[in-house]
Amino acid sequence: MNTPAPESVFIKPLEPGLYIVATPIGNLGDITMRGVDVLRRAQIIACEDTRVTGKLLKAIGAETRMQRYDDHATVETRQWLIEQSRQAPVALVSDAGTPLISDPGYRLVRAAREAGVNVAVVPGACAAIAGLTLSGLPNDRFLFAGFLPVKDKARADMLGSLDGVDATLIFYETGPRLVRSLSVMADIWPKREIAVARELTKLHEECRSGLAAELAEYYTAHPPKGEIVLLVGPPAEQVTAHDSDALLREALEEMSASKAAGTVARLTGMDRQTLYARAVELKSQ
Ligand code: SAM
């Protein structure tokens, strides 16, 4: 196979334009080779916090000029960056991860595209995707919903609005609010599998799965520190009466009606009493 040498994947020379560059979410080693190249060769780096980005630049040996930019920046700053990116490469980074994903940059990218500026992406780390892949939850369909609202009612309303969504849900969360969010989830989705992915790519990385009530209890006893991605598995598939009969018949071959009802209730989330009555019926047939 003809594998290109790493240098040849870089654009030479770096064309003028706006480069959206992902940076690490914890482990510095996660900056991409192309990310390093673009940050070193850009004329200007638009960043949320010059101190945070300054540390990254120092680590990769870049001395590029920084310009503070966030979504509260003035229209003039945005226009200036767009004009600069017509003439030279301008990089956009956030404090960590992929810019625009619960981070500044949306207005700048939109305005740059509307202005006909060359916009390119240099992808890399993103906590939502890192958490999803680590969680072991179904990932064929997922919905990223950003940060949950702080106020109880707004949070419950948002979760309620996602109730029927047949996908894994991904939220960004903070340590002090995690238990409250899990408690609300325990009311709305008592049977859905939840994962708490914490401190991804850092020394104390952990991913803990369980039901919302179990996790709320655990994190009440062990208050979580650091950054968190909270994931909710999709709703269990609707089990038809036909399916539950098949499961009961299979279970009855090996256990009593009472145990079979308990097993199928756990698997399907169906009512145990109803299943027990049906198991007795099936046994007598
Ligand atoms: N743009 C970033 C990205 O691509 O992931 C997200 C920025 S958002 C302001 C910060 C939130 O992302 C944190 O509050 C946390 O929910 C999540 N996050 C960032 N880094 C993380 C990490 N290392 N482990 C777990 N969650 C993280």
Side-chain angles (χ1 to χ4, degrees):
M1 200 169 70
N2 242 347
T3 312
E7 309 86 70
S8 68
V9 300
F10 303 141
I11 308 157
K12 287 183 180 173
L14 199 57
E15 299 290 338
L18 179 67
Y19 293 77
I20 306 161
V21 182
T23 59
I25 55 169
N27 188 323
L28 263 187
D30 292 336
I31 181 93
T32 66
M33 291 167 83
R34 196 167 153 235
V36 170
D37 184 58
V38 170
L39 292 180
R40 281 187 185 148
R41 292 203 285 161
Q43 189 101 344
I44 299 162
I45 299 175
C47 59
E48 275 185 275
D49 185 330
T50 53
R51 282 164 309 178
V52 175
T53 301
K55 281 186 198 153
L56 174 68
L57 295 192
K58 197 164 174 221
I60 63 168
E63 292 180 349
T64 314
R65 168 182 170 191
M66 290 180 278
Q67 166 64 48
R68 187 161 185 270
Y69 177 82
D70 61 24
D71 280 335
H72 304 294
T74 60
V75 177
E76 287 73 32
T77 306
R78 191 152 48 243
Q79 263 327 108
W80 182 79
L81 283 168
I82 289 172
E83 285 318 312
Q84 294 301 309
S85 57
R86 282 189 202 284
Q87 299 148 31
V90 173
L92 167 69
V93 298
S94 59
D95 283 353
T98 300
L100 281 80
I101 304 301
S102 294
D103 263 343
Y106 167 75
R107 290 198 179 96
L108 179 61
V109 170
R110 200 166 169 85
R113 294 182 67 84
E114 277 168 11
V117 163
N118 167 37
V119 181
V121 67
V122 183
C126 174
I129 300 299
L132 177 66
T133 49
L134 185 64
S135 70
L137 287 170
N139 54 57
D140 51 335
R141 214 177 326 172
F142 59 87
L143 187 148
F144 171 66
F147 282 98
L148 280 165
V150 179
K151 297 213 165 118
D152 279 358
K153 170 144 185 1
R155 188 203 276 120
D157 286 351
M158 180 174 174
L159 293 178
S161 75
L162 296 170
D163 190 29
V165 176
D166 185 13
T168 290
L169 308 176
I170 310 176
F171 303 97
Y172 283 160
E173 190 49 287
T174 63
R177 297 210 288 258
L178 177 67
V179 169
R180 186 73 199 115
S181 294
L182 287 169
S183 305
V184 177
M185 287 177 177
D187 287 338
I188 313 179
W189 300 314
K191 300 246 156 95
R192 283 170 75 165
E193 187 182 347
I194 310 264
V196 175
R198 206 172 60 79
E199 293 289 85
L200 295 166
T201 76
K202 302 186 198 173
L203 188 61
H204 298 292
E205 173 178 289
E206 85 167 353
C207 186
R208 192 168 284 273
S209 308
L211 298 179
E214 294 164 354
L215 291 169
E217 196 182 323
Y218 176 83
Y219 284 111
T220 302
H222 306 88
K225 292 203 184 105
E227 301 191 281
I228 293 166
V229 182
L230 178 56
L231 303 106
V232 182
E237 278 176 28
Q238 287 300 312
V239 180
T240 62
H242 177 77
D243 295 332
S244 65
D245 271 10
L247 289 169
L248 279 174
R249 280 203 183 89
E250 206 179 308
L252 283 170
E253 284 173 17
E254 292 170 19
M255 53 187 92
S256 68
S258 165
K259 280 201 171 144
T263 303
V264 178
R266 262 199 310 284
L267 284 172
T268 62
M270 290 173 75
D271 176 58
R272 193 176 180 285
Q273 293 302 328
T274 313
L275 288 167
Y276 176 68
R278 182 67 183 145
V280 172
E281 224 172 272
L282 289 173
K283 214 171 179 179
S284 67
Q285 280 173 9

